[in-house]
Amino acid sequence: GGGDDDDERVGANEVAASQLWHIEIDRNMYLDVKQRCLQLKFPCLEEYDFANDKVTPDLKIEARPGTFIRSYQEKSLSKMFSHGRARSGFIVLPCGAGKTLVGISAVANIKKCSAVICNTSMAVTQWKQQFMSVWTDVKESDITCFLSKGGEWQGKKLGRLLITTYPMITLDKKRSKAGEDLIAQIKARQWGLIVLDEVHLSFADKFWQVLNVVNAHCKLGLTATLVREDDKIKELKNLIGPKLYEADWQDLANQGYLARVQCVEVWCPMTPLFMKQYLASTPRQRKDLWIMNPNKLAAVEFLVTYWEEEGHKIIVFSDDLRPVVAYSDRMDRKCMTGDDDAQTREEVLSKFRDPNSEVKTLFMSSVGDAAIDLPDASVIIQISSNFGSRQKEAQRLGRILRAKPGSNARFNAHFYTLVSQDTQEMYYSTKRQRYLVDQGYAFKVVTKLEDRSGQDVFTKNKGAGKYGGTELEKDLLQFAIEDRAEAKARAAERAGTT
């Protein structure tokens, strides 16, 4: 080689043309290459040149006339699309801010065969309804809803819009012949876009399986929060792509796009009988005791009665199945759990959504944490949560974040968390509380609930509380300390004899 005059020097921020390479990767090796790049700390930036893609099958889809995209939704999509290309990554929008419309708009923009992966079968039904009846003109014959129950997909050709769940894609058990055939069709197709709904709820080790089955040029993750208690969100980012856009919850509330929520923590003293048992119990029993605390029941009754009289729709949440059923039975209110079939759930939800229905309050297990559309709910009462899960807090808060038109009050939605005082539950609640404060929500602690006569429900009966010293308190204690397996067996036996 010659001297400096013979060679053109390359600056620190420049790359010589001779060093630019266009390499086509075998589709079967794509994930291996991506994993290796991650190991070398060179994550891939993925862009899909959909405008010039003549190979991937087209999807006939257009937005319906009059479809309105809000400014922040438009901004989120502008971060994904540029010059006929689509970038892979996350879009973070609060529950109630229209993530579904963003996902549908992305599918309608790319106009290539697409897959939407959800967490529940209920979410699959809602996505299909939003695609067909609300936002686009896509034909039902182009949609395949791949679910374990209801074999609408069996014996039919795979549509160009697939809507299914993570478990259906990553199923480890042996499938039926029809299921195997459909999975083979899904694997054989080159997809344009995969939309991963509520992506933060899924386990990272399963994602390689999802992406292996649904081979898509572009991946869009939709989520309300990039929070995971196991800190695996980094792995999800590596698998899908960077955060493209995140909306500020408080900005959207100030602009009227979301409800103005007040978060309240209600400290419920343990009754003397429950505290004595708590101090002598195992960790498993202690949790049951702080959930079934009679003063919590009194607080739920107080808050439900108050807000029902004010004309609000109320959701009462508990992660624990037995207590939420016990609470709802005690108060004679509707309850929805994972044990209910899809038809039963939809019947309960439709009654709750109906403004003229007598169903004002709905008790729910964690089945209601995500992908359920309850626009009229304005009050949440949380009996128990998954220890200190910030993710759960964000999901449940999202159930009441839909904008509440016609209300000029400072707060038009209310989020109550009931905490048994002087128990370990207070430690977990502090962790969740910090998350809400960091999000900018108004937060206060309440230690008294006064009825119309001005008497605090927690200090009735000489300080023992509304139910202190009563037969109900003894029944609640027995319920809390009884062996769960034995209780379940007895319940099954009773069900078999009725």
Side-chain angles (χ1 to χ4, degrees), residues 352-373:
F352 183 75
R353 292 186 188 113
D354 182 357
N356 300 315
S357 167
E358 293 182 359
V359 179
K360 306 295 182 188
T361 299
L362 180 58
F363 282 75
M364 279 188 177
S365 66
S366 55
V367 71
D369 282 346
I372 291 182
D373 188 26

Side-chain angles (χ1 to χ4, degrees), residues 386-458:
N386 187 19
F387 299 104
S389 173
R390 297 161 294 167
Q391 183 188 101
K392 288 273 188 186
E393 209 79 346
Q395 290 295 129
R396 288 180 177 172
L397 182 63
R399 299 304 107 211
I400 54 171
L401 277 179
R402 284 286 178 88
K404 308 293 185 285
S407 173
N408 296 318
R410 184 184 174 198
F411 300 111
N412 54 13
H414 303 268
F415 183 83
Y416 293 92
T417 299
L418 308 186
V419 181
S420 287
Q421 215 167 338
D422 300 321
T423 69
Q424 194 175 9
E425 188 178 28
M426 294 194 77
Y427 163 76
Y428 297 122
S429 79
T430 303
K431 185 178 176 185
R432 298 193 307 266
Q433 177 190 126
R434 269 201 306 268
Y435 173 72
L436 294 175
V437 171
D438 288 344
Q439 297 295 325
Y441 283 99
F443 190 93
K444 71 175 183 179
V445 172
V446 168
T447 57
K448 291 182 179 180
L449 292 176
E450 295 183 349
D451 59 23
R452 295 187 188 281
S453 66
Q455 192 170 8
D456 177 19
V457 298
F458 297 148

Side-chain angles (χ1 to χ4, degrees), residues 228-301:
R228 280 181 67 108
E229 303 311 316
D230 58 7
D231 292 325
K232 285 190 174 182
I233 203 70
K234 185 178 178 183
E235 292 180 38
L236 292 178
K237 287 180 180 177
N238 289 338
L239 290 169
I240 296 167
K243 180 172 68 178
L244 302 174
Y245 178 81
E246 181 170 8
D248 183 276
W249 294 30
Q250 285 302 305
D251 280 351
L252 298 190
N254 293 338
Q255 294 172 48
Y257 292 126
L258 296 179
R260 299 179 297 280
V261 182
Q262 181 172 51
C263 300
V264 181
E265 191 165 278
V266 182
W267 288 5
C268 307
M270 291 279 272
T271 64
L273 180 63
F274 265 66
M275 180 53 79
K276 181 181 178 181
Q277 185 69 42
Y278 176 83
L279 294 173
S281 295
T282 64
R284 173 66 261 180
Q285 285 180 327
R286 286 185 171 190
K287 185 183 179 190
D288 290 335
L289 286 162
W290 78 52
I291 294 172
M292 296 308 299
N293 176 8
N295 278 326
K296 269 197 182 181
L297 175 60
V300 173
E301 290 176 338

